[in-house]
């Protein structure tokens, strides 16, 4: 269903739009694929670079921490042989304390480092916090114990051999203690962390290479898809263009060859070729249905709108009929000349070859050549007479639409209103089954208005006719007493607005209309009248005449059960609104 809808939308595009759509999609796939490829590559390369930088910094911190741990252990062991040398002992111990301060600083960096968002694997992310938790108290405990022992050694007399031995035994005991061994374990575990950090760093480098490979593959695939898409669209576009042309050409050849004007070209799509096929079909249909369509349209206008004449519609029909009729009429002369030449040629042939072969004699008798020679000119004369008649009908239609009289001129609108009322007088006065409709005119002093008198009078006719129809329908639902108490009335008011506009208000006291009907009142072919009494084009034409042709306004106000009012506003000085 979705694909069918998309295909219909594509088929409705113009030829140039279809070609442009193909190029746009192809280029769009290539550009979007390239952008996507580079975007993905850039993203993953950035992530890989972050992972690599993270691993590098991590290795540096761990290496520094391991180095300081080993240096402290080395300095602590160097204190044993230096127990008998107070100055060297103190100097070595000072170096140890310096490294202890560095360990505290590096340990804090490691804690901060582990608190940041991790880019490493989940397993490795858990090892550093576990390492910090396991050994967080060890450096402090180790230093505190060492300081306590050094403080006791300082109280001894390091010049006495016995005190030196005692000091050395104390330090040696500390070297082999569980706390010292636990401190040594920091270095061992750090080595495992360093090895895995190197692995994470290598993984980051590989990830960066993979990201570049993926980006390259996406770009290559997108270019391949764009090329394939271009080929597919080129094929489909050529098919959508050539196939309808071939169908239309075939129908045109058959119609010309067989003189079969009932043939119709299939409209496969809504583009220039579809418009050409539609125009071709209209041309064929017009020739065949010319008189029937004109008579039906004329009868419909007479029955539904009576004096409104539907100038625009009649003018449009006359124009559409005039072109193909002129085409037919203009070619009849050539057709008669060609047929005369052919008949003369047949006559000349018969004159010089009076005794043709038997096969030709048999064909002459079967075709009844003498009858064809006598009847063909009559047929052509009949066709010419018919085309002349159609041209006369077209001219009559154009005259009826009053296009030649619809000149722009300054007129008194009151005269147009009074003339329209005079034409409708037979419907306003009392008749059998129809009470009198009162007309109240409240005319203001209006200037001469520059307008098209014929179309404006048609607007007055349409609105007043609709008011009369509404009042007659309303009266059909009332009793005689109710009609006497509230007689039918049409009120026509005119006024001038700011010396630049004139306003004509035509109201009736009929039944009015609901909002749903009022909203559609100016739509073409919308009507609430019974079949045969209205076509729904009178008010639509009136709206076009007022708004489009004169640049004015036409509004409808109605209250259900109270009546309806039409308000016409026209500028005093006309501009070329119908250009």
């Amino acid at each position: 269903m979705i694909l069918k809808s998309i295909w219909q939308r594509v088929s409705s595009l113009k030829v140039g739009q279809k070609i442009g759509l193909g190029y746009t999609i192809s280029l769009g796939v290539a550009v979007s694929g390239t952008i996507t490829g580079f975007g993905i590559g850039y993203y993953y390369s950035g992530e890989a670079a972050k992972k690599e930088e993270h691993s590098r910094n991590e290795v540096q911190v761990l290496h520094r921490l391991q180095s300081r741990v080993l240096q402290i252990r080395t300095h602590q062991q160097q204190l044993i042989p230096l127990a008998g040398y107070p100055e060297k002992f103190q100097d070595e111990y000072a170096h140890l304390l310096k490294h202890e301060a560095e360990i505290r600083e590096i340990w804090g960096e490691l804690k901060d480092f582990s608190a940041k968002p991790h880019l490493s694997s989940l397993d490795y992310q858990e090892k550093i916090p576990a390492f910090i938790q396991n050994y967080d108290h060890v450096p402090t405990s180790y230093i505190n114990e060492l300081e306590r022992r050094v403080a006791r050694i300082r109280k001894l007399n390091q010049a006495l051999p016995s005190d030196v031995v005692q000091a050395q035994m104390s330090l040696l005991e500390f070297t082999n203690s569980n706390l010292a061994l636990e401190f040594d374990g920091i270095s061992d575990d750090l080595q495992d962390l360093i090895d895995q950090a190197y692995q994470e760093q290598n993984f980051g480098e590989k990830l960066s290479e993979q990201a570049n490979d993926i980006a390259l593959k996406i770009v290559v695939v997108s270019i391949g898809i764009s090329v394939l898409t271009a080929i597919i669209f080129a094929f489909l576009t050529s098919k959508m263009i050539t196939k309808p042309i071939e169908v239309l050409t075939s129908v045109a050849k058959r119609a010309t060859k067989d003189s079969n004007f009932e043939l119709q070209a299939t409209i496969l799509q809504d583009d220039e070729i579809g418009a050409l096929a539609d125009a071709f079909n209209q041309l064929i249909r017009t020739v065949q249905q010319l008189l029937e369509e004109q008579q039906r349209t004329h009868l419909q206008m007479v029955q539904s709108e009576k004096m409104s004449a539907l100038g625009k519609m009649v003018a449009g029909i006359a124009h559409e009929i005039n072109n193909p009729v002129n085409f037919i009429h203009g070619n009849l002369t050539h057709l008669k000349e060609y047929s005369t030449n052919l008949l003369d040629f047949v006559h000349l042939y018969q004159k010089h070859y009076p005794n043709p072969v038997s096969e030709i004699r048999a064909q002459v008798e079967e075709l009844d050549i003498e009858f064809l020679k006598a009847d063909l000119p009559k047929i052509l004369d009949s066709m010419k007479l018919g085309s002349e008649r159609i041209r006369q009908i077209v001219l009559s239609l154009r005259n009826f639409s009053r296009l030649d009289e619809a000149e722009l001129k300054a007129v008194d609108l009151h005269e147009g209103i009074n003339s329209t009322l005079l034409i409708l007088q037979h419907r306003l006065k009392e008749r059998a089954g129809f009470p009198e409709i009162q007309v109240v005119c409240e005319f203001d002093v209006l200037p001469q208005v520059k307008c098209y008198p014929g179309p404006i009078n048609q607007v007055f006719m349409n609105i007043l006719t609709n008011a009369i129809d509404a009042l007659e329908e309303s009266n059909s639902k009332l009793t005689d007493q109710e009609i006497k108490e509230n007689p039918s009335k049409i009120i026509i008011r005119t006024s001038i607005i700011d010396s630049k506009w004139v306003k004509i208000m035509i109201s009736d006291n009929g039944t009015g209309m609901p909002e749903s009907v009022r909203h559609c009142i100016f739509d073409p072919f919308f009507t609430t009248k019974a079949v045969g009494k209205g076509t729904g084009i009178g008010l639509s034409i009136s709206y076009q005449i007022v708004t489009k042709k004169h640049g004015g306004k036409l509004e409808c106000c109605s209250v259900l059960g109270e009546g309806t009012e039409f308000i016409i506003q026209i500028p005093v000085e006309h501009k070329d609104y119908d250009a």
Side-chain angles (χ1 to χ4, degrees):
M1 187 67 181
I2 297 177
L3 292 177
K4 183 178 180 181
S5 176
I6 294 175
W7 180 258
Q8 290 176 348
R9 288 177 178 271
V10 173
S11 298
S12 65
L13 296 177
K14 306 299 182 185
V15 173
Q17 291 175 333
K18 291 174 182 175
I19 297 174
L21 177 63
Y23 282 120
T24 301
I25 293 179
S26 301
L27 292 176
V29 171
V31 172
S32 60
T34 302
I35 292 175
T36 302
F38 282 118
I40 293 175
Y42 177 79
Y43 172 77
Y44 284 107
S45 295
E47 291 296 313
K50 291 179 182 179
K51 181 184 287 292
E52 189 176 351
E53 180 67 19
H54 181 275
S55 300
R56 188 181 299 110
N57 294 336
E58 197 171 47
V59 168
Q60 291 178 357
V61 172
L62 295 175
H63 266 305
R64 287 167 55 204
L65 181 60
Q66 186 185 41
S67 174
R68 298 306 181 271
V69 169
L70 292 175
Q71 287 175 343
I72 284 180
R73 285 293 289 161
T74 301
H75 286 301
Q76 184 266 318
Q77 292 173 2
Q78 289 293 331
L79 290 177
I80 297 174
L82 296 177
Y85 306 94
E87 293 181 0
K88 293 181 178 181
F89 182 89
Q90 186 59 36
D91 185 56
E92 190 71 23
Y93 183 64
H95 284 296
L96 186 147
L97 293 179
K98 177 182 177 182
H99 293 315
E100 183 272 335
E102 293 175 348
I103 284 180
R104 285 201 305 270
E105 181 181 352
I106 296 171
W107 199 269
E109 292 179 13
L110 186 61
K111 286 183 177 181
D112 295 338
F113 195 82
S114 65
K116 295 179 180 179
H118 288 282
L119 301 174
S120 305
S121 62
L122 181 62
D123 180 60
Y124 186 65
Q125 291 177 17
E126 296 174 351
K127 285 187 176 182
I128 291 182
F131 169 80
I132 293 174
Q133 184 177 2
N134 290 337
Y135 292 103
D136 193 30
H137 66 286
V138 172
T140 303
S141 301
Y142 180 85
I143 295 301
N144 290 338
E145 179 62 24
L146 182 59
E147 287 180 347
R148 187 176 63 80
R149 292 177 181 268
V150 170
R152 287 207 306 267
I153 291 173
R154 285 175 177 171
K155 294 179 180 180
L156 299 176
N157 185 357
Q158 292 178 272
L160 296 176
S162 59
D163 288 350
V164 171
V165 172
Q166 183 179 352
Q168 290 176 341
M169 292 300 295
S170 177
L171 292 174
L172 185 61
E173 180 187 354
F174 177 69
T175 300
N176 297 322
S177 66
N178 292 332
L179 183 58
L181 294 176
E182 191 175 3
F183 187 77
D184 287 339
I186 294 176
S187 177
D188 297 335
D189 289 352
L190 280 173
Q191 187 59 48
D192 293 338
L193 293 176
I194 290 171
D195 292 341
Q196 191 158 357
Y198 275 121
Q199 293 177 4
E200 293 290 332
Q201 185 175 348
N202 294 333
F203 178 73
E205 295 175 354
K206 292 181 180 179
L207 188 63
S208 178
E209 295 176 357
Q210 292 176 355
N212 293 330
D213 291 341
I214 291 173
L216 180 60
K217 290 178 181 178
I218 292 176
V219 172
V220 172
V221 170
S222 65
I223 294 175
I225 293 175
S226 67
V227 172
L228 181 61
T229 303
I231 294 173
I232 293 174
F233 266 92
F235 173 76
L236 293 177
T237 303
S238 63
K239 183 178 179 181
M240 285 189 291
I241 294 174
T242 57
K243 185 177 179 181
I245 293 178
E246 291 174 354
V247 172
L248 180 59
T249 304
S250 175
V251 173
K253 288 181 178 179
R254 290 168 56 195
T256 305
K257 182 179 179 180
D258 303 335
S259 298
N260 183 1
F261 295 104
E262 293 183 357
L263 293 175
Q264 293 286 291
T266 303
I267 301 176
L268 300 177
Q269 50 205 35
D270 187 18
D271 56 7
E272 292 93 337
I273 301 171
L276 179 63
D278 183 59
F280 178 78
N281 292 338
Q282 288 182 8
L283 179 62
I284 295 179
R285 287 194 301 266
T286 302
V287 174
Q288 186 179 5
Q289 301 174 353
L290 194 57
L291 279 174
E292 181 182 352
E293 181 178 340
Q294 185 272 329
Q295 293 172 353
R296 183 171 61 252
T297 304
H298 181 70
L299 180 61
Q300 181 185 29
M301 288 188 298
V302 172
Q303 290 178 345
S304 61
E305 298 300 323
K306 296 181 181 178
M307 297 302 295
S308 66
L310 299 179
K312 280 192 174 183
M313 180 174 289
V314 175
I317 294 174
H319 179 73
E320 292 297 326
I321 293 174
N322 194 45
N323 289 335
V325 168
N326 286 337
F327 171 78
I328 295 173
H329 183 77
N331 284 289
L332 280 176
T333 302
H334 301 293
L335 181 60
K336 185 174 183 179
E337 179 183 353
Y338 299 156
S339 61
T340 301
N341 293 337
L342 286 173
L343 293 175
D344 291 343
F345 179 78
V346 171
H347 178 74
L348 184 63
Y349 178 84
Q350 290 176 337
K351 178 180 178 181
H352 291 283
Y353 296 95
N355 297 313
V357 296
S358 59
E359 184 178 356
I360 293 179
R361 286 197 303 271
Q363 186 68 21
V364 168
E365 293 177 0
E366 181 179 353
L367 294 177
D368 196 357
I369 292 297
E370 295 303 322
F371 173 76
L372 290 179
K373 290 168 62 177
D375 194 52
L376 182 57
K378 296 178 182 179
I379 293 176
L380 293 176
D381 290 339
S382 298
M383 292 175 65
K384 185 174 182 180
L385 182 63
S387 64
E388 287 287 354
R389 177 58 180 160
I390 296 173
R391 293 181 69 188
Q392 292 176 2
I393 293 173
V394 170
L395 181 60
S396 299
L397 287 174
R398 295 184 64 182
N399 291 336
F400 183 68
S401 66
R402 298 189 297 177
L403 288 179
D404 297 333
E405 299 178 8
E407 299 177 356
L408 187 65
K409 58 178 68 175
V411 297
D412 183 359
L413 294 182
H414 291 158
E415 291 183 359
I417 296 173
N418 291 329
S419 298
T420 305
L421 291 173
L422 183 61
I423 295 172
L424 294 173
Q425 190 62 38
H426 68 287
R427 296 195 61 188
L428 295 173
K429 64 184 180 181
E430 185 176 0
R431 294 168 292 153
F434 297 97
E436 179 187 7
I437 299 176
Q438 301 177 10
V439 177
V440 179
C441 295
E442 300 177 1
F443 291 163
D444 197 357
V445 179
L446 300 182
Q448 294 277 312
V449 177
K450 199 171 185 180
C451 64
Y452 295 94
I456 287 296
N457 289 341
Q458 183 179 347
V459 173
F460 295 152
M461 177 70 73
N462 289 335
I463 294 177
L464 288 171
T465 301
N466 275 276
I468 293 172
D469 291 341
L471 290 171
E472 289 179 351
E473 181 182 356
S474 175
N475 289 335
S476 65
K477 301 175 183 179
L478 302 176
T479 63
D480 293 340
Q481 184 62 31
E482 289 174 332
I483 294 175
K484 289 181 181 180
E485 293 176 357
N486 186 24
S488 300
K489 184 182 297 184
I490 295 176
I491 302 175
I492 306 174
R493 302 183 181 91
T494 62
S495 61
I496 185 167
I497 305 173
D498 297 332
S499 72
K500 295 182 179 180
W501 292 75
V502 294
K503 179 191 289 186
I504 303 99
M505 295 171 286
I506 302 175
S507 60
D508 64 72
N509 61 343
T511 57
M513 65 186 79
E515 183 62 22
S516 59
V517 174
R518 189 200 67 80
H519 183 70
C520 304
I521 198 70
F522 297 120
D523 291 348
F525 304 107
F526 176 82
T527 181
T528 57
K529 299 178 183 178
V531 177
K533 296 192 67 175
T535 61
I537 57 178
L539 290 179
S540 175
I541 291 177
S542 300
Y543 186 82
Q544 296 295 322
I545 292 173
V546 174
T547 60
K548 303 297 183 182
K549 197 174 187 67
H550 292 84
K553 302 175 183 178
L554 178 56
E555 300 174 351
C556 175
C557 303
S558 183
V559 178
L560 190 62
E562 296 184 10
T564 303
E565 181 178 49
F566 285 88
I567 303 173
I568 307 169
Q569 296 185 48
I570 303 174
V572 175
E573 291 295 330
H574 179 84
K575 296 181 181 179
D576 193 8
Y577 295 102
D578 199 33

